[in-house]
Amino acid sequence: MNIRKMKEKDTEVVVSLLDQLGYAGTELFIEQKIKKLLNDADEYLAVAEDDAGKVMAFISIHIIPQIALQGDFARISYFSVHKNNRSAGIGKYLEEYCEKTARERNCDRIEVHCNFTREKAHQFYYRQGYSESPKYLIKKL
């Protein structure tokens, strides 16, 4: 297994992986989003591929500077392992990549927002050492 920086040519597989998370219709704008995020110094888009070069998963990590705290934090924005490759250690491998990246960027924590319906994802994050932080508020615009 190999982790590498996402490329624009990965658009189709990222659309498929986002669809598996319940984000349908991303093919309308994903190419522009990937281009934009690849040029953002605080964004890390990575894919995990098998030995044949087939993408099995991806992760989107954003580094967020903090004004009132010494350390910054990394946010896992999106993280998807293909449904046929789950429970094979790929997610753990990508999460460890996230942790390594966060430490290199002087982050003191990683944050992830995970829909309350994704119970298996919650179990994964708990196994990786995450704990629940109460009260997350959002205002839709």
Side-chain angles (χ1 to χ4, degrees), residues 44-135:
Y44 294 81
L45 295 177
V47 298
E49 56 187 10
D50 64 16
D51 294 336
K54 180 181 176 189
V55 174
M56 302 176 293
F58 87 95
I59 191 167
S60 171
I61 306 160
H62 192 73
I63 306 300
I64 302 171
Q66 298 297 291
I67 194 167
L69 301 171
Q70 185 173 356
D72 295 334
F73 72 91
R75 175 180 289 154
I76 298 173
S77 302
Y78 296 91
F79 186 5
S80 182
V81 176
H82 191 280
K83 61 186 176 186
N84 295 337
N85 300 110
R86 293 182 185 152
S87 298
I90 299 165
K92 183 178 187 303
Y93 195 58
L94 272 174
E95 194 281 332
E96 288 170 351
Y97 163 82
C98 176
E99 185 173 335
K100 179 179 180 285
T101 300
R103 289 182 190 281
E104 289 172 356
R105 288 294 305 266
N106 298 313
C107 295
D108 61 12
R109 64 199 171 285
I110 300 170
E111 173 185 272
V112 61
H113 300 148
C114 189
N115 190 292
F116 72 94
T117 62
R118 295 189 174 122
E119 294 180 18
K120 288 186 178 184
H122 299 163
Q123 293 169 3
F124 167 78
Y125 287 117
Y126 291 139
R127 283 193 309 271
Q128 297 308 113
Y130 289 73
S131 60
E132 190 170 342
S133 178
K135 198 77 82 145

